[in-house]
Amino acid sequence: MPVTIDTPPDPHDPSDPQRRQLLRLAAAAFVAPLLPMFTAHAAPLTYDLKPVKLDDGAWMIGGRQEAITFENGGAIANITILDSSEGAIIIDTGPSRRFGEELATLARTLTGKDIARVYLTHFHPDHVFGNQGFEAGKIAAPAGVIKGLQELGNGFSDAMYYIARDWMRGTEVILPSVTVTEGIEDIGGRRLRLLPRAGHTGADLALFEEKSGLLIAGDLAFLDRAPTTPHANLATWRNTLDELSAIDCKLLVPGHGPAESSTRAITQTRDWLTAIESIIVRCFEQGLDMTEAMQAELPAGFASIALARYEFTRSVMHLYPALEASKLPGVGKRSN
Ligand SMILES: [Zn+2]
């Protein structure tokens, strides 16, 4: 019978006496392997956001295809701005208060209007720590995103301050006030199909905007940059990707990587998840330890994907223990 990687233990389990410590460690582990660069930086800190037009009244601010470092200030995720007759609609707020404030200013300039709505695609810090640039009452996310940010936000914050330092000054965790559920929300002539799903984390939001045909996938899709898996359930993620691939979109905006008219981001993300799971399971079945598994050869087709080895190593670090806990007798099992 083939071995698969099961869902990792639920860090939200309130019965776990070490829950708080685990949550903090889990959050720190998300960014801790990203070694900070302790170089002097005299230039004034500004993100100098450069919007790229996707469609009439639709722009993307492309994140750097890198890990979070001091040099990039954490600006590695894609952000989308949509114009509507009611005001600007923002999808994800970026990594820091400074970014959020610059983003809000840019959105007002581009649209000539105030902010009507902000959506968060998931709780990872590169997507949500700019929330302070916006009124909390206008920030919306699925319940699981709000809960995840509540549980993990302070741990993410510690790690982000450690790495991005001055970029993070004044940044605090701000929880969304509006809960997103499945359905269509019409904001100023933009009909947004809200698709709360899961896979990249326990709660992800994809949005399909009917007027422009834009599918904004958040981190459910990566393109030319290796997907991150610290909070992923690979089987669930693949099911969600199957569902998204059936949407007839004009342009797909991934969480990381270029927006394209093809669904290449979905295919590539799916292929990556299938490949790394198969490699990691094979290594486990061969009795290799984690360090040996990290050296495993990656398919040649992934050579052009940014951070392939880096993210594969991180995936081994958190998927291997899950495999050991589920497949080795006694390991990771509670005795009481
Ligand atoms: Zn993410």
Side-chain angles (χ1 to χ4, degrees):
M1 194 175 141
V3 178
T4 56
I5 297 176
D6 292 339
T7 308
D10 181 4
H12 301 142
D13 177 4
S15 65
D16 188 337
Q18 293 178 306
R19 177 170 155 272
R20 290 220 161 269
Q21 177 65 8
L22 284 172
L23 288 170
R24 184 161 281 262
L25 287 172
F30 178 73
V31 282
L34 318 172
L35 292 175
M37 310 285 278
F38 289 104
T39 52
H41 197 284
L45 297 180
T46 169
Y47 286 100
D48 191 22
L49 304 178
K50 298 266 195 298
V52 173
K53 187 176 173 183
L54 299 174
D55 191 64
D56 286 342
W59 301 266
M60 180 179 103
I61 296 154
R64 303 261 289 266
Q65 296 280 66
E66 299 170 357
I68 296 167
T69 64
F70 173 74
E71 277 67 26
N72 60 37
I76 62 168
N78 290 339
I79 310 293
T80 306
I81 301 172
L82 301 174
D83 190 13
S84 84
S85 62
E86 282 181 39
I89 302 164
I90 312 283
I91 294 118
D92 285 343
T93 63
S96 65
R97 175 181 189 149
R98 181 186 299 269
F99 188 103
E101 290 172 349
E102 289 185 33
L103 174 61
T105 301
L106 174 67
R108 289 189 184 99
T109 305
L110 287 170
T111 63
K113 306 182 193 86
D114 204 351
I115 311 301
R117 169 71 85 223
V118 177
Y119 293 103
L120 304 181
T121 60
H122 63 298
F123 56 66
H124 282 158
D126 46 331
H127 296 258
V128 301
F129 272 15
N131 286 1
Q132 278 162 293
F134 306 92
E135 283 176 45
K138 293 192 171 164
I139 306 177
V145 175
I146 301 172
K147 187 180 178 213
L149 192 53
Q150 203 165 19
E151 301 268 15
L152 300 170
N154 287 336
F156 285 146
S157 178
D158 290 350
M160 289 293 287
Y161 268 88
Y162 179 68
I163 294 170
R165 292 169 286 146
D166 256 14
W167 290 101
M168 300 303 294
R169 195 178 296 167
T171 303
E172 293 169 12
V173 176
I174 302 293
L175 299 179
S177 298
V178 183
T179 304
V180 166
T181 53
E182 178 106 25
I184 292 190
E185 187 164 24
D186 191 326
I187 300 177
R190 293 277 185 189
R191 273 174 59 84
L192 292 148
R193 201 186 300 167
L194 305 174
L195 305 162
R197 295 294 182 270
H200 173 65
T201 67
D204 299 286
L205 175 67
L207 303 98
F208 179 64
E209 203 280 299
E210 294 182 352
K211 182 177 163 189
S212 58
L214 284 181
L215 174 57
I216 300 147
D219 279 6
L220 289 166
F222 285 68
L223 184 55
D224 299 337
R225 194 267 195 220
T228 63
T229 59
H231 303 102
N233 180 303
L234 304 188
T236 304
W237 195 344
R238 279 191 292 260
N239 288 339
T240 298
L241 288 168
D242 287 347
E243 201 184 330
L244 293 183
S245 67
I247 296 174
D248 185 19
C249 68
K250 196 169 122 190
L251 204 62
L252 193 151
V253 183
H256 299 259
E260 284 193 358
S261 55
S262 73
T263 51
R264 198 165 64 93
I266 290 177
T267 313
Q268 195 184 81
T269 301
R270 198 180 204 297
D271 289 350
W272 173 272
L273 298 178
T274 302
I276 65 156
E277 181 175 48
S278 139
I279 294 167
I280 291 171
V281 167
R282 194 182 65 230
C283 290
F284 178 77
E285 287 177 333
Q286 287 173 349
L288 302 184
D289 66 25
M290 239 190 342
T291 317
E292 290 166 325
M294 287 172 187
Q295 316 299 322
E297 196 174 333
L298 298 176
F302 293 152
S304 60
I305 293 181
L307 301 172
R309 175 59 60 184
Y310 172 84
E311 291 298 349
F312 175 73
T313 301
R314 294 179 76 205
S315 293
V316 171
M317 282 166 61
H318 52 259
L319 295 177
Y320 231 68
L323 262 179
E324 289 170 346
S326 63
K327 302 300 173 194
L328 295 180
V331 176
K333 306 273 194 300
R334 288 188 198 151
S335 56
N336 54 358

